[in-house]
Amino acid sequence: PWEKAQLIELEENATPGFWYGNLTSNGRGGLAFGSGRYVHLSPKKRTMFSKLEQLSVKARAHVSFAHFWSVFLTTEPILFVAVETVPPSIEVFREDQATGSYQRVQTTDLGRAHKDTAITAMSTISAAKGAQLAVALSSGSILVFSKEGDSLKPVCTLSEFESPVCSVAGDATMHRGLIAASDESGKIAVWEEKSPNQFGLVFLTSLDSNYASALGLCGALLFAGSFSGKLFLFEVDDRRLDQEVITNTRCITAIDAHPTGDMILVAGEDCRASIFNVPLQSRQKMKLVFSVCVNGIIAGAAFTCEEPESLDISLSVVERHYIVQYALSS
């Protein structure tokens, strides 16, 4: 049985913006999203009507979104924030273990070569040398960074697209060094780490008369949410489309894969969020586990607590002064 919805109250200047995928979970019950010139976060699970903390970025510029470093690859409590400077920059925040608050420790700008671009998405990658960060750009490129100390070091650039990148995703189960990305022309590409810091293209496809607005990876299973509201499931190793499911009536804005690899969360502009079982065998159909409608466009959706037995989810709703949370009661 699912518990009734709980709300995390937001300040009036903290309503989630229209950036798709604008919600991130730290794997310990906490979450964060960008709004205006601030990042709003809760490092730990909050109770009903509790308020989030507010972080300001160094540059006087707008925040696109935030991304927590995966706790399944590193114990470092790190938050990456994409800032709309020229050129774009990433501010790195670290949690102070004594106070529990986040402090800015480093800022990395993407350099003059990318001064006319914007950061459109970020994701954690499981690489041979540890966790890495994939940063997607409106120019069509994807930059891969490793973290050395508090600094981000460029590793490689992936250039398969000519149109702006819509979404980027790493393997949620953290078992394989995969990067999936999609662009506004309808292309979808998947790369795999072949040797340390070297990625090779392993899968390339496209959605006819459509594009993938959100992506999720569970091992070699690629979930592509389309602008039309249809969810496509591809098997990367076999390079084929396995199934299609109409999950929403409008654009799918967010997909989050549970780190156990057996659940997928899908949300869209039609105000609906749903959880499906991930097929464990080839050609096995996805099954609906939970579905709910809220009173606004869902900009971000995430599994908030990522223990195997937990199905807690959080939803950020465009121009609403709260985060909606649901939990599967024990």
Side-chain angles (χ1 to χ4, degrees):
W2 287 82
E3 297 176 352
K4 292 182 180 179
Q6 295 195 49
L7 304 179
I8 296 181
E9 189 177 7
L10 305 177
E11 301 291 347
E12 288 191 6
N13 66 342
T15 56
F18 279 91
W19 277 100
Y20 290 169
N22 190 12
L23 189 69
T24 181
S25 169
N26 65 0
R28 296 178 296 156
L31 51 88
F33 67 91
S35 176
R37 294 181 176 177
Y38 300 96
V39 180
H40 305 273
L41 84 156
S42 166
K44 298 179 181 180
K45 188 174 182 179
R46 294 297 177 96
T47 56
M48 193 168 184
F49 291 109
S50 59
K51 294 186 178 182
L52 270 66
E53 300 172 19
Q54 181 174 280
L55 298 178
S56 60
V57 294
K58 182 178 181 180
R60 294 184 61 82
H62 281 259
V63 172
S64 302
F65 44 84
H67 177 72
F68 276 112
W69 199 246
S70 172
V71 295
F72 297 94
L73 289 176
T74 174
T75 57
E76 290 185 289
I78 298 293
L79 178 68
F80 300 102
V81 179
V83 186
E84 298 175 21
T85 51
V86 180
S89 58
I90 301 171
E91 296 198 5
V92 182
F93 290 80
R94 179 193 295 275
E95 184 182 31
D96 186 311
Q97 298 293 336
T99 64
S101 62
Y102 275 74
Q103 306 293 328
R104 184 190 310 104
V105 293
Q106 205 265 345
T107 300
T108 298
D109 74 61
L110 302 188
R112 294 181 58 84
H114 302 290
K115 64 182 181 66
D116 297 323
T117 65
I119 298 173
T120 57
M122 293 189 292
S123 184
T124 304
I125 310 164
S126 173
K129 292 188 176 181
Q132 293 184 341
L133 182 70
V135 178
L137 303 177
S138 60
S139 63
S141 297
I142 298 168
L143 309 181
V144 180
F145 293 90
S146 62
K147 185 173 163 298
E148 297 185 358
D150 290 325
S151 300
L152 291 175
K153 177 184 177 182
V155 169
C156 66
T157 301
L158 305 177
S159 303
E160 190 62 40
F161 304 125
E162 296 178 359
S163 300
V165 180
C166 304
S167 182
V168 65
D171 175 18
T173 66
M174 300 303 168
H175 293 151
R176 294 179 62 172
L178 294 171
I179 305 173
S182 62
D183 75 353
E184 291 183 357
S185 75
K187 269 188 179 180
I188 301 173
V190 181
W191 296 265
E192 185 164 19
E193 189 180 35
K194 300 299 184 181
S195 59
N197 300 334
Q198 298 293 324
F199 290 84
L201 185 69
V202 294
F203 181 65
L204 183 65
T205 189
S206 63
L207 302 181
D208 295 336
S209 303
N210 213 330
Y211 71 86
S213 48
L215 297 175
L217 266 175
C218 289
L221 296 179
L222 171 63
F223 295 85
S226 71
F227 183 77
S228 66
K230 185 179 289 186
L231 182 68
F232 297 81
L233 171 56
F234 296 93
E235 292 198 4
V236 173
D237 290 339
D238 294 337
R239 301 182 183 181
R240 66 177 179 85
L241 174 63
D242 185 78
Q243 58 188 282
E244 304 173 21
V245 179
I246 298 175
T247 60
N248 300 80
T249 58
R250 296 177 62 185
C251 177
I252 293 175
T253 57
I255 294 177
D256 192 33
H258 199 280
T260 57
D262 59 0
M263 296 284 174
I264 193 85
L265 171 62
V266 184
E269 284 185 353
D270 62 350
C271 313
R272 179 168 295 279
S274 304
I275 297 177
F276 293 87
N277 274 317
V278 173
L280 300 179
Q281 298 177 357
S282 180
R283 302 188 183 280
Q284 186 179 34
K285 298 299 182 182
M286 292 186 291
K287 293 182 179 180
L288 181 66
V289 175
F290 172 76
S291 188
V292 67
C293 274
V294 296
N295 65 338
I297 293 172
I298 300 174
F303 287 106
T304 312
C305 292
E306 297 174 333
E307 294 83 3
E309 67 279 3
S310 170
L311 285 181
D312 294 7
I313 63 171
S314 295
L315 308 173
S316 63
V317 185
V318 172
E319 297 183 339
R320 295 289 186 267
H321 297 290
Y322 48 78
I323 298 290
V324 185
Q325 291 190 316
Y326 290 89
L328 181 63
S329 59
S330 56

